Amino acid sequence: MDEKIINNIRSLAIDMIDEAGSGHPGICLGAAPIIYTIFAKHLNYNPSDPNWINRDRFIMSAGHGSALLYSTMFMAGYGLEIEDLKKFRQFGSKTPGHPEYGVTQGVEATTGPLGQGIGIATGMALGGKILEEKYTLEKEKKIDNDKPLINYHIYVLCSDGDLMEGISYEAASFAGNLNLNNLIILYDSNNISLDGILSYSFTENVLDRFKALGWYTDVVKNGNSVNEIDNAINKAKKSGKPSIIEVKTIIGYGSIWEGTNKSHGNKLESDDITNLKTKWGLPNEKFHFDLEAKKDFSNQLTERSAIKYEIWASNYRRYVEERLDNDDSSLKYLFNNQFVNLLDYKWDFSPDLNEGTRVTNGQIINVISEMLPNFIGGSADLSSSTKTYIKNGKDIEDNKYNNKNIWFGVREHLMGSVLNGLSLSKFKPFGSTFLVFSDYMKPAIRMSALMNLPVTYIFTHDSIYVGEDGPTHQPIEQLASLRAIPNLYVYRPCDANELVGCWNSIINSNKPSALSLTRQDVKLLTESDMTKVANGAYVVRNETARLNGIIIATGSEVSLALKVASDLYTNFNIDIRVISMPCMELFLKTPLEYQKTLLPIGHKVIAIEAGSSFGLEKFVYNQNYLITIDKFGTSANAKDVLKYCEFDYDTVKEKIKGLLK
């Protein structure tokens, strides 16, 4: 029966690819026994409660194997129908070309860019360990099964491409250091890459690499043996370590392109499909499946999972009953979005406050942490600089998971993916580094935006004001590149007041966000207003009589714009309106009437920002009205760097004067 089910999975997968005219049959034919064994023998998942908090998670990191995933899910009794398989890779279908979170029930994460699935799974594994420790059932309570209330596994199917991407090393190092023993990776090892023979580009001993990083390793020599794969997974579960199992497979198994790169990304010839189905004892009929095999597969999954689900549900009911007065312990925050009004909190900012917004941010996130039990995060070995340490949160370590400070180490790429995995595990996570290093995180940030996850990226040292560290540490194009990512909200507050307003929007929007903060000191402005940040932009200085021009500024440049406006009005009678724009994306979503109120047609508009002009041109008449920085900086003190970049006060003032006089 195992073989019959596996061949049905293979048959449906190649039918999907043939119908769509594109796809990746090689992995579907070679790795079908791996995914079948996981689902049939190990995965705890309840199709009637797909959001069960204690379900096991399966991540198809080799996202090009989506047809294999969908055919397996169909045969296992998930929510997919045969019509969904027929619409593989078609517009609006539940079976897109690569797995997408929120599109297909049972798909736990969007994958496709190789390595991202491993990183996300690592975040999920960390989230699982935190919850496992937080909600351990106590012996003296006499609750059934003296085990954690939360104790799920994360299973990953990956390819050699996943393991070649650098993020896999970052993930393996991080998971090994924290001993995330609920993470099990199965490596589809077939000695072929897209371009040809794998040895031309990848000859390292993968298992030795992982072993050196603290992982349990194993090899399955026969990738078609369900028993061998099953036994290897059982040993991995008992190892007490994160595990990787190398499964030796044959890409395109059984086809005329068996063992070659041709089977990787090309649909099979029709004669080949006919011959394969004959070998498998299946009729040469598109989208045929054996009903008995489907029922058997579904029963294996549901019967095993049902027992575990009922035990868990009973434990959960008794657990909650004993903790009715403790919202933190009742798992409430895992099931509900909590609204937090930071605007009503009594912020005690001194009128004389003059500090970097990174410093103020440290105070704010500590307040948020007290309000939200699932608010956790860390930095890429930079918390002393980014000021993102949660003072009462304690540190997450091996066997000390139920804390709030994550030591990501110098692993920005992995940090972003872990944040995504934590968010998918019902946490509200943040990660911090310097703005210039956001470039290391773009793939993960893009995945946050694609999945619409409430992940917050905190970027400090956000301009050339960092000075002596030089152009390698002075961000120029980073703000523009972040703003170019659809569905990402980029915040750049001018002071402490706006920063509170930014966080109020971030925490309550459940959207992916990036926060850009200064290292240099900025004063608390009497003109700033935390309540108006929700509009994305607002007037911080109105014209006195006759409107001669408008300045749009963000972040630390708002105080610069206010000073210039005051100076030009006092000395040259040039009457300027100043607009602070802490979040361009929020502003562009406001009604056009509001936008026109701030930026009435027919008036000169100037944009000031200590970074690339790209993206700001939409607000101005032409390039001459952009006072920005479109070249790399230099290593010098901040004053000299500003002069070199033509961004010192006198130069900026003269430019504005020349444009408005």
Side-chain angles (χ1 to χ4, degrees), residues 45 50-51 55 59 69-70 73 80 92-96 98-111 124 424 447-453:
Y45 180 89
N51 295 318
R55 70 189 182 280
I59 303 296
L69 176 60
Y70 301 144
M73 291 168 67
L80 291 176
S93 76
K94 295 180 182 179
T95 50
H98 288 79
E100 292 184 34
Y101 173 73
V103 173
T104 315
Q105 183 176 294
V107 168
E108 301 284 0
T110 299
T111 56
M124 287 181 167
L424 289 164
M447 300 299 279
S448 302
L450 272 169
M451 290 187 273
N452 195 35
L453 302 178

Side-chain angles (χ1 to χ4, degrees), residues 394-410:
K394 299 183 181 178
D395 301 318
I396 291 174
E397 304 175 61
D398 178 12
N399 287 319
K400 293 181 181 177
Y401 300 109
N402 185 24
N403 295 317
K404 288 205 165 191
N405 291 294
I406 307 170
W407 290 58
F408 287 106
V410 189

